[in-house]
Amino acid sequence: MNITIISHNYFPEDSGIGLYTTGMAEFLAKKHEVSIITGVPYYPQWKIYSNYSDSPLFVNEIINGVNVYRFKQYTPQQPTFLSRIFQMIHFFFGSLFNCFKIKKTDAVIVVMPFTISIVLGWILKVLKGGILWVHIQDFEFDAALSVKIYAKSKFYSKILFKIEKRILQKADFVSTISKSMLHKLAQKMIVSQLYFPNWIDYSKIDPKSAVKSELFNSTTFNVLYSGNIGEKQDWEFYIKLVKSMQCIPEIHFYLIGEGAKRMSVREALKDCSNFCYYPPVSYDQLNNVLCNADVHVLFQKPEFKDVVLPSKILGMMASAKPSIVTGHEDSEIKVNFINSEGGCYFDENNLETIKENIVYLKNQTVVAQIMGFKARKFVIEHFSHENILSKFQTELECRVSEKII
């Protein structure tokens, strides 16, 4: 079977959508002919990687059995709503040229965001045949409207969602990464849907193979946030929490990552002796970082419920360390933490509650160990990469077979 994937993010990006798109492509390539139309790597630093900065506009590579067709897209150093739109449009027109390099395809898989890439998939389907499968990692229009005050007018929203609906209707099948996002999709349109969650390679995130990380102070209780430092997290609350706990020197906060909010968070906490920032680590070092923390934290803005499902949750849980997470009261993440008993989930960012729980986990080491054990057990049982990718491949093969028949 010939499969073409269209995704803005791909290897060597080793976090977020790039990580999961690469995993999907390389898994499928063990059995099928797989090509990917993508951009040059830039995430999460929002800067084109040095080994691609001098590359030509179009680059063709073969990486781990996957044919990679890249376009050197515009990449804003400071992403804004408008600069992201320009990035989408630039990627679209450059990748349109790459579509004509595909000789044959039985299935086109488009990874969202970007919504406009579905049009690329539809063009490729018209030219070469096969089915069009859209996989939603992010509802980008919903996310944009959640953070842009000026974009919240009903008129503006109506236009965006009409465009989204019209484009999504070009797909034969649509999958997304959470059941709550499937529910949101059903509200938008009637379409054949599939639950295709992100996964964890628990052999790569495993406390048994982790070694001591030089980033952490071995004499303190270390509270970690590792991931994108963006609009979807409540950084005002994080800043208040760190400042309020300076009186407990044995508890230290670590922020590891990159994103639009990085500079403002670092500036606000520059004088705090209980805080350290580090840039993102490579994926082969992530195990050492996650497994050497004492507790993970993630403070979400509740308005992003059903819009995104943070993939970092799986790594946090696989590390066998407890997590403290906040978000919407009806969040699917809340259900996972209740079922797993692998951490604490709260419906609001209450300063005293979070402080009390951090101190509690510091003092109750046995309780923390049990929580961590249960968290890892849960993700291995429900989100292992072998099971999820095997089921997806089988479903894809069945859909293609039905189309051919």
Side-chain angles (χ1 to χ4, degrees), residues 1-6 33-37 99 101-109 120-133 396 400 403-404:
M1 193 162 74
N2 290 276
I3 302 168
T4 304
I5 300 170
I6 301 175
E33 290 293 323
V34 179
S35 300
I36 180 157
I37 296 171
C99 282
K101 298 177 183 178
I102 303 298
K103 303 300 182 185
K104 180 184 178 184
T105 187
D106 299 298
V108 182
I109 303 171
L120 286 174
W122 176 76
I123 291 171
L124 193 53
K125 173 189 170 181
V126 170
L127 292 174
K128 305 295 181 180
I131 66 167
L132 175 56
W133 186 305
L396 180 65
V400 171
K403 184 75 173 181
I404 293 172

Side-chain angles (χ1 to χ4, degrees), residues 42-157:
Y42 69 92
Y43 185 84
Q45 295 87 350
W46 286 92
K47 182 180 179 181
I48 292 175
Y49 288 17
S50 57
N51 52 331
Y52 286 89
S53 59
D54 295 325
S55 68
L57 207 55
F58 295 94
V59 180
N60 295 349
E61 304 171 284
I62 298 178
I63 303 175
N64 294 330
V66 178
N67 300 309
V68 183
Y69 299 94
R70 297 190 191 272
F71 171 67
K72 193 174 184 180
Q73 77 287 348
Y74 162 75
T75 301
Q77 290 187 351
Q78 294 295 328
T80 64
F81 185 67
L82 292 177
S83 66
R84 286 278 282 165
I85 289 175
F86 185 77
Q87 184 187 42
M88 290 183 219
I89 295 171
H90 193 231
F91 175 75
F92 175 86
F93 284 106
S95 297
L96 182 60
F97 183 83
N98 275 332
C99 282
F100 290 96
K101 298 177 183 178
I102 303 298
K103 303 300 182 185
K104 180 184 178 184
T105 187
D106 299 298
V108 182
I109 303 171
V110 177
V111 180
M112 279 178 58
F114 300 139
T115 304
I116 196 173
S117 294
I118 299 172
V119 179
L120 286 174
W122 176 76
I123 291 171
L124 193 53
K125 173 189 170 181
V126 170
L127 292 174
K128 305 295 181 180
I131 66 167
L132 175 56
W133 186 305
V134 173
H135 181 54
I136 302 174
Q137 286 276 0
D138 227 331
F139 284 111
E140 62 185 313
F141 290 165
D142 296 79
L145 291 169
S146 295
V147 299
K148 294 296 175 183
I149 295 173
Y150 67 82
K152 288 184 178 178
S153 73
K154 289 183 180 180
F155 176 74
Y156 191 85
S157 301

Side-chain angles (χ1 to χ4, degrees), residues 297-359:
V297 294
L298 173 61
F299 307 127
Q300 302 173 100
K301 293 179 179 176
E303 57 264 34
F304 285 98
K305 171 186 172 282
D306 300 343
V307 177
V308 294
L309 184 70
S311 56
K312 65 175 67 63
I313 290 285
L314 300 178
M316 290 159 56
M317 297 180 78
S319 71
K321 294 298 172 71
S323 300
I324 297 176
V325 180
T326 67
H328 196 281
E329 62 181 348
D330 295 324
S331 169
E332 188 169 332
I333 299 172
K334 177 180 180 179
V335 175
N336 288 341
F337 273 105
I338 290 172
N339 291 339
S340 69
E341 299 179 349
C344 307
Y345 188 97
F346 300 99
D347 300 342
E348 58 180 354
N349 291 331
N350 183 288
L351 195 60
E352 290 306 314
T353 300
I354 302 303
K355 286 168 63 176
E356 287 173 7
N357 276 270
I358 291 174
V359 173

Side-chain angles (χ1 to χ4, degrees), residues 24 52 250 327:
M24 174 175 64
Y52 286 89
E250 61 268 31

Side-chain angles (χ1 to χ4, degrees), residues 114-386:
F114 300 139
T115 304
I116 196 173
S117 294
I118 299 172
V119 179
L120 286 174
W122 176 76
I123 291 171
L124 193 53
K125 173 189 170 181
V126 170
L127 292 174
K128 305 295 181 180
I131 66 167
L132 175 56
W133 186 305
V134 173
H135 181 54
I136 302 174
Q137 286 276 0
D138 227 331
F139 284 111
E140 62 185 313
F141 290 165
D142 296 79
L145 291 169
S146 295
V147 299
K148 294 296 175 183
I149 295 173
Y150 67 82
K152 288 184 178 178
S153 73
K154 289 183 180 180
F155 176 74
Y156 191 85
S157 301
K158 261 185 182 178
I159 293 174
L160 276 181
F161 291 136
K162 277 187 177 180
I163 293 171
E164 180 188 56
K165 183 176 181 179
R166 181 67 63 89
I167 293 175
L168 277 170
Q169 284 174 335
K170 295 184 179 299
D172 295 301
F173 311 101
V174 181
S175 59
T176 191
I177 60 175
S178 76
K179 293 173 183 176
S180 56
M181 289 173 73
L182 279 177
H183 178 69
K184 177 172 279 293
L185 179 63
Q187 293 175 330
K188 292 173 178 288
M189 60 180 298
I190 299 173
V191 66
S192 181
Q193 302 175 13
L194 179 73
Y195 174 55
F196 176 27
N198 287 333
W199 59 87
I200 188 73
D201 184 345
Y202 56 87
S203 68
K204 300 284 180 65
I205 307 296
D206 185 353
K208 290 181 181 178
S209 61
V211 298
K212 182 179 177 181
S213 173
E214 296 179 356
L215 301 184
F216 295 111
N217 186 335
S218 60
T219 64
T220 57
F221 184 83
N222 299 317
V223 182
L224 173 65
Y225 173 89
S226 177
N228 181 47
I229 309 171
E231 295 279 3
K232 297 159 191 173
Q233 296 84 39
D234 192 338
W235 294 110
E236 287 185 13
F237 178 76
Y238 180 85
I239 291 166
K240 288 179 183 177
L241 177 66
V242 174
K243 288 183 174 180
S244 72
M245 297 194 75
Q246 289 185 88
C247 58
I248 313 176
E250 61 268 31
I251 295 177
H252 203 92
F253 290 82
Y254 290 85
L255 179 63
I256 300 177
E258 187 58 83
K261 292 290 185 177
R262 173 182 62 86
M263 291 295 291
S264 59
V265 176
R266 289 188 66 189
E267 179 64 25
L269 296 175
K270 65 180 181 181
D271 296 324
C272 293
S273 59
N274 63 335
F275 170 80
C276 288
Y277 166 80
Y278 295 104
V281 299
S282 60
Y283 187 68
D284 61 354
Q285 291 297 313
L286 185 62
N287 185 42
N288 300 334
V289 169
L290 295 181
C291 295
N292 278 281
D294 292 298
V295 62
H296 300 281
V297 294
L298 173 61
F299 307 127
Q300 302 173 100
K301 293 179 179 176
E303 57 264 34
F304 285 98
K305 171 186 172 282
D306 300 343
V307 177
V308 294
L309 184 70
S311 56
K312 65 175 67 63
I313 290 285
L314 300 178
M316 290 159 56
M317 297 180 78
S319 71
K321 294 298 172 71
S323 300
I324 297 176
V325 180
T326 67
H328 196 281
E329 62 181 348
D330 295 324
S331 169
E332 188 169 332
I333 299 172
K334 177 180 180 179
V335 175
N336 288 341
F337 273 105
I338 290 172
N339 291 339
S340 69
E341 299 179 349
C344 307
Y345 188 97
F346 300 99
D347 300 342
E348 58 180 354
N349 291 331
N350 183 288
L351 195 60
E352 290 306 314
T353 300
I354 302 303
K355 286 168 63 176
E356 287 173 7
N357 276 270
I358 291 174
V359 173
Y360 175 78
L361 290 173
K362 172 187 174 297
N363 295 331
Q364 301 294 325
T365 54
V366 174
V367 173
Q369 287 173 357
I370 293 171
M371 277 188 178
F373 172 80
K374 288 182 175 180
R376 179 170 172 80
K377 182 174 182 287
F378 182 81
V379 294
I380 289 174
E381 289 177 353
H382 294 87
F383 296 98
S384 70
H385 68 293
E386 307 104 312

